[in-house]
Amino acid sequence: DLEFSYGESKILDGITFTIKKGESVALVGSSGSGKTTIANLLNGFFSADSGSLMIDGIDISNIKKESLYKNISIVTQESILFNDNIFNNIKIGDLDAKEEDIISAAKEANAHEFIEEQINGYKTVIGDYGNKLSGGQKQRLTIARAMLKSPSILILDEATSSLDSKSEKKIQDAINKLMQGKTSLIIAHKFSTIKKCDKIILIDKGRIIAQGTHEELINSNSSYKNMNELQI
């Protein structure tokens, strides 16, 4: 029964759902419906006005931030990278990682090949926000970092929305590997990326209006069906 407002504007209005361990659950809905706010609350960036958000039955307000961040990784549309070399940007996922672990994570993320082509390989400095790399390359480094961290909970917020089709395929392949064995919350506009999710939750104006598998929603909810058909 989660409630959250920005100032006078109510963003979440009585949100209730459960994600089982190992499940992949997608949040869909129009811009401003509250999807990213849910992800931000799960990350501990904000606190809910009322209701409860629990992980393993423990209210998130009682979980230390250090413990929370150790168990959660988020991959967003905008890659968060630093003006440092590629090796160190990946290593942020696990500061105790060995070189072979970092290279292995890059390979899993389909990033090793382009890294080796850089002028100084893994020691190449990528500029502020990684601006010396393409969008797809930056995204693969972010995924490599999450691979290295190997979190229990994975949040994907529009992770492929700004990429060309060639980059998107490589990113999606990497994301599919990253999701294996993890509890995943996926926010996406592209229905092609969420069809195989265990559950899809349709949100409108801060409320859940439907939930089920892709096939169930196609057959039972006209809003979901229309949103899907607009992308075909």
Side-chain angles (χ1 to χ4, degrees):
D1 197 23
L2 215 59
E3 306 257 338
F4 183 80
S5 300
Y6 286 124
E8 298 296 311
S9 178
K10 180 167 274 193
I11 307 299
L12 301 181
D13 188 6
I15 291 283
T16 299
F17 66 91
T18 301
I19 306 177
K20 296 176 184 175
K21 182 178 174 65
E23 269 191 335
S24 57
V25 173
L27 302 179
V28 298
S30 58
S31 296
S33 59
K35 305 183 298 296
T36 295
T37 300
I38 292 171
N40 287 336
L41 288 169
L42 182 56
N43 265 299
F45 298 157
F46 307 114
S47 297
D49 298 336
S50 62
S52 56
L53 175 57
M54 293 183 285
I55 301 175
D56 287 345
I58 303 168
D59 195 285
I60 198 169
S61 62
N62 294 323
I63 299 174
K64 291 181 179 178
K65 286 285 196 288
E66 182 183 0
S67 176
L68 187 66
Y69 297 152
K70 195 175 286 184
N71 285 284
I72 295 179
S73 276
I74 182 165
V75 180
T76 64
Q77 181 178 347
E78 294 297 324
S79 304
I80 301 168
L81 297 169
F82 305 95
N83 189 11
D84 200 336
N85 63 44
I86 288 170
F87 186 91
N88 288 339
N89 266 284
I90 298 174
K91 191 175 182 178
I92 291 168
D94 179 1
L95 295 176
D96 296 323
K98 297 174 181 175
E99 183 176 356
E100 57 263 34
D101 298 327
I102 290 167
I103 292 172
S104 177
K107 287 178 177 176
E108 286 283 296
N110 291 335
H112 179 72
E113 191 175 324
F114 90 76
I115 294 170
E116 290 284 82
E117 291 172 354
Q118 301 299 306
I119 188 165
N120 291 313
Y122 281 81
K123 296 301 181 183
T124 302
V125 176
I126 58 176
D128 289 325
Y129 307 107
N131 60 17
K132 293 181 181 178
L133 301 176
S134 71
Q137 289 171 337
K138 289 192 285 188
Q139 200 68 309
R140 277 178 275 168
L141 290 191
T142 306
I143 293 168
R145 182 191 294 162
M147 290 273 192
L148 187 67
K149 186 176 183 181
S150 194
S152 304
I153 299 170
L154 178 65
I155 300 172
L156 302 169
D157 189 352
E158 300 288 1
T160 65
S161 64
S162 62
L163 304 173
D164 59 73
S165 56
K166 185 179 178 183
S167 295
E168 184 181 347
K169 186 181 185 311
K170 287 186 176 180
I171 300 298
Q172 197 58 53
D173 287 346
I175 285 173
N176 291 341
K177 291 179 194 171
L178 178 59
M179 286 174 60
Q180 288 175 8
K182 296 179 181 65
T183 305
S184 304
L185 182 69
I186 302 155
I187 299 168
H189 281 120
K190 294 181 180 178
F191 280 44
S192 59
T193 64
I194 60 167
K195 287 181 179 178
K196 294 179 182 177
C197 285
D198 297 303
K199 181 163 60 181
I200 298 169
I201 297 172
L202 182 57
I203 299 177
D204 183 47
K205 296 174 183 173
R207 287 178 174 270
I208 293 176
I209 59 173
Q211 54 183 307
T213 64
H214 176 72
E215 291 302 322
E216 287 168 348
L217 291 176
I218 284 287
N219 293 321
S220 66
N221 188 276
S222 57
S223 296
Y224 184 87
K225 185 178 180 181
N226 290 340
M227 289 168 72
N228 180 65
E229 286 176 349
L230 285 171
Q231 296 187 9
I232 295 174

